[in-house]
Every structure is written in C-alpha cells, then in structure tokens.
Amino acid sequence: MYSTFQPHPLLAAYVDAYWVSMATQFSQQRILPDTCADIIFNISDQPVTVGNNAIWIAPNTAFVVGTMTAFRDIVRQGNTGMLGIRFKPGGLHAFTELPLQLATDEHLLLSDITRDWHTRLVPLLEKASSISEKVNCLENFLLQRLPANNIVANTILESIHLIRQSNGNVAPAVLADKAFMSSRTFERNFLRIVGVSPKTFSRIVRFVSVHRELKKEKSATLLSLALDHGFYDHAHLTREFKLLAGDNPSCWR
C-alpha cells in the first residue's frame, strides 16, 4: 500500500507530499531519481535494505535521503512500514541548512544531521496510533519551524522553476545571469541548496519528463521523445535512461 498526503498551504513551497508505504510480504522496488530529498522513518519493527551496497535501515530509525542521481533498489521483508516527508528541491535545506551536496545519493541518519529533530520526532511518531496521526505530527512539527525569508534561496528556487518550465533545457549560464550571480557563485549556491549542480538537475528533470511521457504517450516513438526533450538522438536518450533508471526507456512503457 502506498498513499500520499498533501501538505498545509504554508508548507507547500517546501514539501511536495507526505507519504506512507506499507508491505505485508517480501517485496522489491526500484526508486528513480525525482529531484527531491526525503526524510524517511522506518515505522515498523523490521529492517529495510537499500541499494546495491545493501544499506541496512534499522527499525524505528529516521534517515535522510538526498537528491538521487541514479536509481536505488529497495528490498523489504514482510510487515514493514515507511513514512516519509518528500521535500521539493531546496525544501529540506530551508529547514535544516544542511549543505545538500553532503546528502546526494546518501542515506544519512537523521540523528547525525539534526539531533533535535530525531529526539523530538521519533518519540512522537511512536506514540501516534494511526498513520493520519503520524502525518499530523510531522505537519505540526514543520509548521512550528517555518523558515525565514532567504533571498539567495528564493533566487535558486526561481531557477528551479525555470529549469522545470523548460523541461531541463535552459543553459546554466542563462540561469546565472537571471540570478545576477557569476557562474561559479550560482553553481556553488545551487549545490548547497539543491544537492546537485544545475547541469545534473537539468538532466534529471529531462529524464523525469520523458519517463512521464513514456507512461502517458504509448504511441510516441523514442526518437520523437528524445528530440522533443532536448536529447541529441535515440542513443543519447537510451544512455541516460540506463544511467538513471537501470533499463532501456522501452522497458518503462
């Protein structure tokens, strides 16, 4: 079972959704890059293993998953549950001020990132008896910590909007000019707030856009999808999909 819950309007600029995933039997799942970062709570008494290196997530543990630049496979035994906050790009940094490049492609213990969050949130979630109560705990916790206005962060968020609006086909130099920053300063701020460079972020946005179209437009050829989304040709699209999703694009129709 997988369900999502929309955030409070005051949090909508930072949080994409709260989500819960429950499994009653052994399961394997492939997670694809989506430009977001998550805080995830293993709310069951069973461990979860993640990735090719078999990262072991202990029961009743909270961890931070940074922006992903490649797929991850998750293996779950029976009776496991995970509850997550999926932050929009730049959203996690707004609350924690963690330099997000430190979390890229990583699973970090929440207690190592911010002990205050771990010591306050984990007991609250353990006491909550239902999923809706647990989600409310997360929501209220974030509402009490709404970030102050940050001019640099707002500028980067506007750049993120431009990248998404163009489906990842806007040059970093153009974004830096619009942000009134040098290319080096812009990239440094983007890395710190989002976790990846503007170029890598644009690659992931293009991938996400094509992946969405593959599921929606069954009749579209891979060549037309490649050209429409800024890839050089069919081969370029296929290489990117193998890197980001582990399979050829045709496997995702």
Side-chain angles (χ1 to χ4, degrees):
M1 181 197 76
Y2 179 81
S3 302
T4 59
F5 306 84
Q6 293 305 301
H8 188 282
L10 290 175
L11 295 169
Y14 311 101
V15 176
D16 182 65
Y18 307 100
W19 57 266
V20 61
S21 177
M22 309 297 290
T24 57
Q25 57 187 1
F26 176 86
S27 64
Q28 292 179 289
Q29 183 181 9
R30 177 157 293 183
I31 308 298
L32 304 181
D34 61 0
T35 73
C36 296
D38 293 66
I39 294 179
I40 302 176
F41 302 85
N42 182 356
I43 56 175
S44 66
D45 56 3
Q46 297 291 328
V48 175
T49 56
V50 181
N52 297 328
N53 295 325
I55 300 168
W56 194 77
I57 307 301
N60 299 310
T61 299
F63 56 101
V64 176
V65 180
T67 307
M68 294 169 52
T69 64
F71 68 92
R72 283 287 180 92
D73 291 323
I74 292 181
V75 178
R76 301 168 66 179
Q77 306 301 324
N79 298 316
T80 59
M82 293 191 294
L83 174 67
I85 310 170
R86 184 165 62 240
F87 289 92
K88 292 180 177 179
L92 178 57
H93 177 271
F95 285 93
T96 65
E97 296 190 354
L98 168 72
L100 260 292
Q101 70 267 35
L102 300 180
T104 300
D105 289 323
E106 297 287 348
H107 286 66
L108 307 175
L109 287 174
L110 182 61
S111 57
D112 290 341
I113 302 301
T114 166
R115 183 165 294 278
D116 175 63
W117 282 41
H118 183 268
T119 55
R120 291 175 183 270
L121 269 175
V122 171
L124 286 174
L125 293 175
E126 287 180 353
K127 290 178 182 178
S129 58
S130 67
I131 294 298
S132 60
E133 288 179 1
K134 293 179 188 295
V135 170
N136 285 337
C137 285
L138 298 179
E139 180 110 287
N140 291 332
F141 187 86
L142 293 178
L143 284 171
Q144 293 169 12
R145 290 162 175 77
L146 278 172
N149 191 42
N150 184 305
I151 295 175
V152 172
N154 289 342
T155 301
I156 297 301
L157 293 179
E158 177 60 27
S159 299
I160 289 169
H161 173 71
L162 292 173
I163 293 172
R164 284 182 153 170
Q165 195 175 48
S166 69
N167 283 330
N169 290 295
V170 56
V174 172
L175 295 170
D177 286 344
K178 288 182 177 292
F180 300 102
M181 298 179 190
S182 69
S183 293
R184 178 177 291 184
T185 299
F186 177 72
E187 179 159 341
R188 185 170 63 247
N189 284 319
F190 202 98
L191 268 170
R192 178 173 56 86
I193 292 170
V194 180
V196 294
S197 69
K199 182 178 179 180
T200 299
F201 187 83
S202 296
R203 282 182 59 221
I204 299 170
V205 167
R206 283 196 298 272
F207 161 76
V208 170
S209 181
V210 174
H211 181 256
R212 183 169 54 245
E213 288 297 314
L214 280 170
K215 298 170 84 173
K216 185 172 64 174
E217 296 291 340
K218 302 292 185 182
S219 60
T221 66
L222 294 181
L223 178 59
S224 65
L225 284 173
L227 298 178
D228 287 346
H229 289 82
F231 295 93
Y232 298 125
D233 51 26
H234 173 279
H236 183 203
L237 171 63
T238 299
R239 285 196 302 273
E240 286 291 277
F241 251 78
K242 284 184 176 179
L243 287 171
L244 293 168
D247 286 310
N248 291 321
S250 56
C251 296
W252 293 92
R253 284 192 180 275

